[in-house]
Amino acid sequence: MRLVLLGPPGAGKGTQAQWLKERYGIPQLSTGDMLRAAVAAGTEIGRQAKAVMERGELVSDEIMIGVIAERLRSPDCARGFVLDGFPRTVAQAEALERLLAERGEKLDAVIELAVDTEALVERIAGRFACAKCGAGYHDRFKRPAVEGVCDVCGGTEFVRRKDDNAEAVRTRLQAYAAQTAPLLPFYRQRGLLRTVDGMAPIAEVTAAIRRALEDIAG
Ligand code: ADP
Ligand code: ADP
Ligand code: ZN
């Protein structure tokens, strides 16, 4: 299964990707996570991306396409993947199409998580993640089952993202509207777009995605 999750920051892409990777046994390719790892490791790409990410702007297509091209070559992507945060521009979508075509592959579906912009600020403000395994949580909508303990790995340290502040969020929402939203008609034209209601509770969004994918599998 080759999937793309599409939606603005805070729509729930990472949350739903976590379920999809288990359901289909495919890796989650989160370009945001990859970039944050590069920043933490102090690589050349990390150095170039750091300030751009902190402002909430998009990292260049050239860098992002390079990162994804390399990641797609790993053997664990042979049976599919769920892309979370890529593509974010039409140029990235075209590059992805080319990269897959070179291997005789194509996407199975692009799932749009449709959300109201007003809800995103609250989602992003309450977001935190396990420092050890990266599992995502929310102050109101997704607390760990045992307070202070990660459901997935038992870790007890949690982190908040530096770019989850009001100003960077505003920039990220603008970047989404200007540069990423054009991907909706791009994928609709190709018959790949499946839109689900991202405002529903997490489990209901998951169920809607499952139904959409069962439709495709036939
Ligand atoms: P994205 O990867 O699209 O930026 P996340 O998956 O990180 O979004 O979700 C943003 C925040 O909102 C997280 O704290 C997550 O726990 C929470 N969240 C995700 N989906 C929902 C939902 N359907 N309802 C309420 N909160 C949600
Ligand atoms: P969110 O979960 O809020 O959607 P991500 O974790 O996906 O955010 O991305 C965080 C930041 O990393 C973005 O604001 C951007 O600066 C950079 N980034 C991630 N993926 C891409 C991409 N495909 N193209 C350009 N920049 C990206
Ligand atoms: Zn954890």
Side-chain angles (χ1 to χ4, degrees), residues 63-140:
I63 289 179
M64 296 317 304
I65 291 164
V67 165
I68 280 296
E70 190 187 329
R71 184 66 184 84
L72 285 175
R73 276 196 292 272
S74 351
D76 68 327
C77 292
R79 288 183 44 245
F81 49 76
V82 50
L83 278 164
D84 154 20
F86 185 98
R88 258 178 159 91
T89 64
V90 170
Q92 291 179 15
E94 286 169 347
L96 175 63
E97 209 167 50
R98 271 198 310 277
L99 284 168
L100 293 177
E102 282 165 12
R103 301 146 49 122
E105 297 173 354
K106 62 182 198 54
L107 293 174
D108 293 298
V110 175
I111 298 161
E112 178 201 2
L113 299 175
V115 284
D116 302 339
T117 311
E118 306 86 81
L120 298 175
V121 178
E122 187 188 13
R123 285 205 189 167
I124 292 171
R127 166 159 67 182
F128 62 97
C130 171
K132 197 163 148 198
C133 77
Y137 296 96
H138 192 279
D139 291 329
R140 259 188 74 197

Side-chain angles (χ1 to χ4, degrees), residues 7-95:
K13 301 181 297 296
T15 301
Q16 298 302 330
Q18 230 170 310
W19 169 79
L20 283 163
K21 72 177 177 187
E22 275 157 41
R23 167 69 180 77
Y24 291 101
I26 51 180
Q28 169 189 2
L29 311 188
S30 161
T31 42
D33 287 347
M34 291 177 205
L35 289 171
R36 282 184 287 278
V39 170
T43 66
E44 179 56 30
I45 285 174
R47 276 210 301 280
Q48 291 179 36
K50 187 169 187 287
V52 178
M53 290 173 75
E54 281 173 10
R55 287 196 299 271
E57 294 166 9
L58 292 186
V59 175
S60 76
D61 287 335
E62 193 192 345
I63 289 179
M64 296 317 304
I65 291 164
V67 165
I68 280 296
E70 190 187 329
R71 184 66 184 84
L72 285 175
R73 276 196 292 272
S74 351
D76 68 327
C77 292
R79 288 183 44 245
F81 49 76
V82 50
L83 278 164
D84 154 20
F86 185 98
R88 258 178 159 91
T89 64
V90 170
Q92 291 179 15
E94 286 169 347

